[in-house]
């Protein structure tokens, strides 16, 4: 199974600033994803991080607010831009096993915007 | 797109009893159904999954059943223990092929399982 790490594990940020979250996978994976999870809620897919091309965003999420990079098969970043308190959440990186089915999650980044 | 409903939202059982969590999905093209366990403050952990070519899969105390005709699948935990207490999420996708929007997992709303001593 893929082992996924994220940095930072948590952060407290000021309104209007941006935060970039890093995700590193220990093996080459086919697909990487970014999710958001509000306390006590389910997981909401933000976007699929495509290697070498623009990310594919879900309805309600836009590139200007959540720019994503994936320069290679094991690394991706998510930036939360121009933050507001409504962006306070846990952001999770996820990767799909190279066999194509099993999907694993990173430990998450707990973001608080004041 | 796919819609996954999950019931119940909370479930309390006595230690040693069985627990069953049920999910329904809407997209008949979905063919992969994983279950995740998430303990408080931790990442979702894949505990078992099933593909559409089988009707049941078992791993020690946990099992998953799938009814493609009715479009529902269930998680069964037998001989529950306090360490089974967590939030459980079901999900569905049409994954692989390796590209395309159909690959994404759609999650249920979660079930808070509490195993009482």
């Amino acid at each position: 199974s893929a082992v996924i790490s994220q940095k930072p594990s948590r952060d407290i940020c000021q309104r209007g600033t941006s935060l970039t979250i890093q995700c590193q996978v220990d093996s080459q994976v086919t697909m990487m994803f970014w999710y958001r999870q509000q306390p006590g809620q389910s997981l909401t897919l933000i976007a699929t991080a495509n290697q070498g091309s623009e990310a594919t965003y879900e309805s309600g999420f836009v590139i200007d607010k959540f720019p994503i990079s994936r320069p290679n098969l094991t690394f991706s970043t998510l930036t939360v831009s121009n933050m507001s308190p409504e962006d306070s959440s846990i952001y999770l990186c996820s990767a799909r096993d190279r066999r194509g089915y099993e999907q694993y999650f990173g430990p998450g980044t707990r973001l608080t915007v004041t | 797109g796919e819609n996954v409903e999950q019931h119940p939202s909370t479930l309390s059982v006595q230690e040693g009893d069985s627990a069953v969590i049920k999910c329904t999905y809407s997209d008949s093209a979905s063919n992969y159904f994983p279950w995740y366990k998430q303990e408080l403050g931790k990442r979702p952990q894949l505990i078992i999954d099933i593909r559409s070519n089988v009707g049941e899969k078992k791993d020690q105390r946990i099992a998953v059943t799938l009814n493609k005709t009715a479009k529902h699948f269930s998680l069964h935990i037998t001989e529950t223990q306090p360490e089974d207490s967590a939030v459980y999420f079901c999900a569905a996708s049409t994954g692989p092929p390796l590209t395309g929007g159909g690959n994404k997992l759609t999650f249920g709303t979660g079930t808070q399982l509490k195993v009482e001593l």
Side-chain angles (χ1 to χ4, degrees), chain A residues 4 30-31 33 35 37 41-43 45 58 92 96 98-107 110, chain B residues 31-32 36 38 41-44 46 49 51 89 93 95-96 98-100 103-105 107-109:
Chain A
I4 304 172
T30 56
M31 299 180 77
F33 308 88
Y35 289 81
Q37 186 176 32
Q41 302 293 315
S42 186
L43 296 93
L45 180 63
E58 297 301 304
L92 293 148
R96 177 162 291 161
R98 58 184 172 84
R99 292 171 295 175
Y101 280 97
E102 296 171 356
Q103 189 168 323
Y104 301 95
F105 286 85
R110 183 179 294 273
Chain B
N31 59 7
Y32 176 64
Y36 289 84
Q38 188 175 31
K42 301 292 182 63
R43 75 185 78 192
L46 178 66
D49 57 11
R51 302 181 196 178
F89 292 100
S93 83
L98 301 182
T99 59
N103 266 293
K104 59 188 180 184
L105 282 176
F107 283 86
T109 49

Side-chain angles (χ1 to χ4, degrees), chain A residues 4-112:
Chain A
I4 304 172
S5 58
Q6 280 184 238
K7 289 194 298 186
S9 58
R10 58 177 62 224
D11 207 341
I12 301 173
C13 300
Q14 298 281 341
R15 181 196 300 259
T17 63
S18 297
L19 175 73
T20 295
I21 303 168
Q22 298 181 6
C23 176
Q24 180 72 54
V25 189
D26 70 339
S27 60
Q28 292 188 352
V29 291
T30 56
M31 299 180 77
M32 296 181 73
F33 308 88
W34 287 97
Y35 289 81
R36 184 169 73 182
Q37 186 176 32
Q38 306 279 16
Q41 302 293 315
S42 186
L43 296 93
T44 300
L45 180 63
I46 298 172
T48 301
N50 301 308
Q51 194 260 330
S53 64
E54 194 171 282
T56 303
Y57 290 84
E58 297 301 304
S59 176
F61 298 96
V62 296
I63 187 172
D64 290 346
K65 176 68 175 178
F66 298 100
I68 287 170
S69 76
R70 188 180 173 190
N72 56 52
L73 290 175
T74 63
F75 185 79
S76 178
T77 66
L78 168 74
T79 299
V80 186
S81 303
N82 188 25
M83 289 183 285
S84 65
E86 292 72 37
D87 295 320
S88 297
S89 189
I90 297 172
Y91 292 85
L92 293 148
C93 174
S94 181
R96 177 162 291 161
D97 188 85
R98 58 184 172 84
R99 292 171 295 175
Y101 280 97
E102 296 171 356
Q103 189 168 323
Y104 301 95
F105 286 85
T109 296
R110 183 179 294 273
L111 171 63
T112 303

Side-chain angles (χ1 to χ4, degrees), chain B residues 38-94:
Chain B
Q38 188 175 31
E39 298 176 76
L40 189 63
K42 301 292 182 63
R43 75 185 78 192
Q45 178 188 3
L46 178 66
I47 57 171
I48 196 169
D49 57 11
I50 191 168
R51 302 181 196 178
S52 60
N53 56 345
V54 297
E56 184 174 0
K57 183 177 179 181
K58 189 175 182 180
D59 183 4
Q60 298 181 36
R61 294 187 299 109
I62 59 173
V64 58
T65 58
L66 171 65
N67 184 327
K68 286 216 70 177
T69 301
K71 289 192 281 188
H72 67 72
F73 56 111
S74 301
L75 177 71
H76 305 253
I77 305 174
T78 59
E79 301 173 23
T80 53
Q81 302 168 3
E83 50 265 40
D84 294 328
S85 297
V87 178
Y88 290 81
F89 292 100
C90 63
S93 83
T94 59

